[in-house]
Amino acid sequence: MADVPHYKKKKLGAYPYLSVVLSITTALFVLGIFTILLIDARKIAQAVQENLEIQLFLNNAITDNEKLQLELPLTEKHYIQQEANQPTYSYISKEEAAKELTNQLEEDFQDLLGENPLKDSYVIRLKANYYQPTQLQKVEQDLENLNGVVDVAYPRSLAKDMTENIATISFILFSFALFMSIIVIVLIHNTIKLALFSQRFIIRTMQLVCAKNSYERKQLLKTAAWQGINSGVLAFGFLWAFIAYAESQLEELQALHPIEMLLVIGLSLIGIGVLISVISSFRAVNKYLAMSLDELY
Amino acid sequence: MVFSTEPVVSVKDTTIYQKHNMVLTDVYFDIRKGEFVYLIGRTGSGKSSLLKILYADLPLYSGDVQVADMQLFNIAKKQIPFLRRKIGIVFQDFQLLTDRTIADNLFFAMKATGWKDSSKMKQRLSDVLLKVGLGSVGNKMPHQLSGGEQQRVVIARALINEPAILFADEPTGNLDPQVAEEILALFIQINHSGTAILMGTHNHHFLEKHPSRVLKCEKGKLLDSAVQAFDYKNIY
């Protein structure tokens, strides 16, 4: 057989492996971009929320000792942001507050009033999920009940607007991602259905040369699984390149995309690719296996 | 030729349907090991349907049909591949897998029927290709071969599992007379090595050149030259 050159041209009637892989890759890539967009949006929203400060104004009459005693209940509040497992809060004395206000006003208001009307305060930040209006009210009440606290202050309307805006944006993004996922699934499903439609006579011929249905199914599903894996890996590669480019343009983005997160997304893309590919192939193959010749035409 | 008495195909009291139309009724015949039988009849007379029943491509609704010791009435779908391993099928339209080389076509048929050892597979590949008179076509694609060569490959494929009988549905229908006779000669050669053959054909030269038992589909009945004499000389 040495005299026959090996045939390398596109094989006529072969399973359109490359087209299918490219279609699935595109679909998975778009899905990946959206997942990352969704995660980024959540992270940014969380960061914005966590920057919101809450001030606890203290009774002028309480002693330094009582002030220190206040710190213990503060460390026990689970809703306060933590750093290295320690709740973070800072103490601002009324003198410091006055200095800051004077700087802001560029005028010494104490001269005008003859005294410092400000109060000592603790400044805390909440964990992101305590910024819901109902949660915030509970937190506020809880803080006001602390001995020595006279007032709890935070930019109320800002907190409210922020929560509402984030909810709206999250909802829109999420619906869009859901919609995208459905499109991706339908697209992959149809691509595979068409690819196997082009193979229906080959499937029948295989039956005629005494292949068991289970054998044919196994062969075709193996192909499907591989095309899912290849598409997932390709999509992940493109996604990685895309993010690397975005990060080179905008360095702040780097903090948003830890490598573990990208790897999880990559593995998910591969998993989704394999799952949809195999399920779609399974359905299509079974259909053609069960068809008689007349139905195939 | 000495025939053993054991039938490879045994058909009793069978009605053949094409879709929902009855095409043949009261069909009775046996084919013994090593027999060469022609199946003739006009287009649409039920030849192909009968052959398709025999290799379980059409369901058998009524009757008693045994092929290679397997009962075809109500045969389970899962059993069909095992039936097809005991028989060989040759098609008019070849039915090669157009997406792979000749060698891969034959390897597919081997793997599908449980062959595992690749050196044995290669050995069998060259054996069957040699048997049908093809040498170095293993690396070619089906469309690179002539019709006659493709049909030889199909016959080679049918021979892989040493079938007791070959069913051929107009195997020379798409070939020119010269090539058709070469294919007939090949069938005769295979028959001489002990494989029974049931060949549907329109080619009456075959019947003159190589006279043998004839089954004829006519007016809804199957005539058998082994049972009664009938005129099959002037068929189309």
Side-chain angles (χ1 to χ4, degrees):
Chain A
M1 288 184 203
D3 53 336
V4 182
H6 192 72
Y7 195 71
K8 279 214 176 83
K9 251 175 75 183
K10 162 108 180 84
K11 289 175 182 173
L12 190 75
Y15 183 77
Y17 193 84
L18 196 67
S19 335
V20 175
V21 165
L22 284 181
S23 305
I24 301 178
T25 303
T26 319
L28 289 179
F29 175 68
V30 171
L31 192 65
I33 291 269
F34 248 86
T35 312
I36 285 187
L37 207 63
L38 207 65
I39 293 173
D40 282 2
R42 271 214 79 73
K43 281 189 174 174
I44 292 172
Q46 196 170 341
V48 171
Q49 282 185 324
E50 284 178 350
N51 273 333
L52 206 70
E53 290 180 341
I54 294 189
Q55 270 184 304
L56 311 180
F57 291 108
L58 307 182
N59 191 339
N60 275 339
I62 69 170
T63 63
D64 285 354
N65 210 6
E66 280 170 323
K67 277 179 205 159
L68 282 174
Q69 272 172 11
L70 249 177
E71 290 189 9
L72 184 68
L74 280 181
T75 58
E76 284 165 353
K77 301 295 179 197
H78 56 279
Y79 45 74
I80 296 180
Q81 259 181 59
Q82 302 199 331
E83 226 164 71
N85 281 332
Q86 285 296 313
T88 55
Y89 52 87
S90 52
Y91 174 72
I92 300 175
S93 68
K94 57 181 176 185
E95 289 78 21
E96 284 171 307
K99 221 190 250 170
E100 197 160 306
L101 189 60
T102 310
N103 279 343
Q104 276 178 22
L105 295 174
E106 293 177 345
E107 182 177 7
D108 194 348
F109 64 98
Q110 292 183 77
D111 285 348
L112 211 67
L113 297 174
E115 60 162 354
N116 182 357
L118 300 177
K119 294 182 166 67
D120 296 328
S121 65
Y122 279 107
V123 175
I124 59 166
R125 287 178 184 171
L126 300 188
K127 292 180 184 164
N129 40 352
Y130 285 97
Y131 283 98
Q132 312 291 339
T134 48
Q135 294 280 3
L136 204 54
Q137 235 163 20
K138 275 186 210 158
V139 170
E140 193 180 345
Q141 237 149 44
D142 190 43
L143 289 171
E144 272 173 351
N145 285 340
L146 286 177
N147 202 11
V149 173
V150 289
D151 195 13
V152 175
Y154 59 90
R156 270 160 224 276
S157 67
L158 179 62
K160 188 163 163 276
D161 286 353
M162 209 158 64
T163 319
E164 281 172 6
N165 287 343
I166 288 172
T168 317
I169 293 170
S170 298
F171 176 74
I172 292 173
L173 271 180
F174 183 76
S175 338
F176 214 72
L178 195 73
F179 183 59
M180 271 322 225
S181 311
I182 294 172
I183 290 181
V184 163
I185 290 172
V186 171
L187 202 71
I188 296 179
H189 183 70
N190 279 340
T191 309
I192 288 176
K193 224 166 72 179
L194 276 177
L196 282 170
F197 179 75
S198 77
Q199 299 293 289
R200 67 199 189 284
F201 288 110
I202 286 183
I203 289 175
R204 182 188 148 74
T205 299
M206 289 177 173
Q207 275 179 312
L208 286 178
V209 297
C210 48
K212 275 194 277 185
N213 285 358
S214 59
Y215 178 79
E216 276 186 64
R217 208 177 286 133
K218 213 169 82 189
Q219 298 291 312
L220 290 162
L221 291 188
K222 224 194 277 175
T223 313
W226 272 110
Q227 98 197 341
I229 292 173
N230 288 336
S231 309
V233 170
L234 267 179
F236 184 43
F238 286 133
L239 199 65
W240 190 285
F242 180 80
I243 288 172
Y245 176 75
E247 282 177 355
S248 74
Q249 299 296 308
L250 207 67
E251 275 178 20
E252 293 83 352
L253 284 177
Q254 274 171 17
L256 289 175
H257 308 130
I259 260 183
E260 305 83 51
M261 182 190 101
L262 290 181
L263 286 180
V264 169
I265 290 177
L267 287 179
S268 312
L269 287 184
I270 295 173
I272 293 170
V274 171
L275 203 69
I276 302 177
S277 180
V278 165
I279 291 176
S280 304
S281 297
F282 186 75
R283 289 183 46 136
V285 168
N286 279 350
K287 196 170 91 188
Y288 296 126
L289 281 176
M291 276 189 175
S292 74
L293 183 63
D294 293 334
E295 290 167 319
L296 286 177
Y297 274 105
Chain B
M1 224 177 301
V2 184
F3 298 139
S4 80
T5 47
E6 190 86 356
V8 199
V9 175
S10 166
V11 180
K12 294 190 190 83
D13 190 21
T14 296
T15 307
I16 311 283
Y17 293 88
Q18 166 67 272
K19 292 242 171 106
H20 298 292
N21 304 319
M22 231 189 279
V23 284
L24 289 171
T25 52
D26 298 330
V27 180
Y28 285 86
F29 69 92
D30 281 356
I31 297 176
R32 275 174 248 290
K33 277 182 184 162
E35 241 187 315
F36 192 113
V37 183
Y38 292 108
L39 178 62
I40 61 172
R42 283 175 192 277
T43 306
S45 61
K47 261 186 318 164
S48 289
S49 299
L50 175 58
L51 282 167
K52 281 181 179 167
I53 293 268
L54 293 179
Y55 58 78
D57 196 26
L58 280 180
L60 176 64
Y61 294 117
S62 87
D64 176 13
V65 177
Q66 270 196 18
V67 174
D69 299 328
M70 286 178 85
Q71 182 57 247
L72 295 197
F73 184 68
N74 270 342
I75 188 171
K77 260 203 157 136
K78 280 196 164 168
Q79 288 300 311
I80 292 175
F82 295 102
L83 166 74
R84 290 188 184 154
R85 284 167 200 203
K86 297 181 173 180
I87 61 179
I89 315 172
V90 178
F91 308 91
Q92 181 180 7
D93 57 354
F94 312 141
Q95 298 276 5
L96 288 168
L97 301 172
T98 51
D99 63 338
R100 58 197 81 190
T101 63
I102 300 305
D104 287 339
N105 262 278
L106 298 182
F107 284 147
F108 178 87
M110 289 187 214
K111 283 184 198 151
T113 53
W115 291 63
K116 296 244 154 62
D117 185 335
S118 80
S119 62
K120 277 187 189 155
M121 279 165 58
K122 276 180 195 150
Q123 184 58 44
R124 188 73 189 143
L125 172 75
S126 51
D127 283 355
V128 288
L129 285 180
L130 202 67
K131 232 180 219 173
V132 298
L134 289 174
S136 52
V137 295
N139 287 335
K140 290 199 180 176
M141 298 296 288
H143 65 90
Q144 292 177 305
L145 301 185
S146 71
E149 286 172 318
Q150 289 191 46
Q151 193 57 288
R152 283 169 191 269
V153 173
V154 175
I155 295 168
R157 184 179 64 189
L159 291 176
I160 283 174
N161 289 310
E162 294 173 337
I165 183 163
L166 276 189
F167 295 117
D169 191 0
E170 289 180 40
T172 59
N174 286 347
L175 306 172
D176 68 57
Q178 170 70 34
V179 176
E181 288 197 3
E182 288 169 21
I183 295 289
L184 175 67
L186 178 58
F187 273 109
I188 293 168
Q189 180 200 325
I190 291 165
N191 178 239
H192 282 315
S193 64
T195 307
I197 285 168
L198 176 61
M199 181 196 290
T201 185
H202 285 300
N203 194 329
H204 63 280
H205 291 301
F206 284 6
L207 280 68
E208 285 161 15
K209 234 186 146 73
H210 182 70
S212 195
R213 183 180 164 199
V214 179
L215 299 173
K216 182 179 186 183
C217 303
E218 194 176 57
K219 294 172 187 155
K221 299 283 179 217
L222 187 78
L223 309 176
D224 185 347
S225 71
V227 177
Q228 58 188 120
F230 56 86
D231 175 32
Y232 53 78
K233 292 284 189 286
N234 53 0
I235 50 157
Y236 6 99

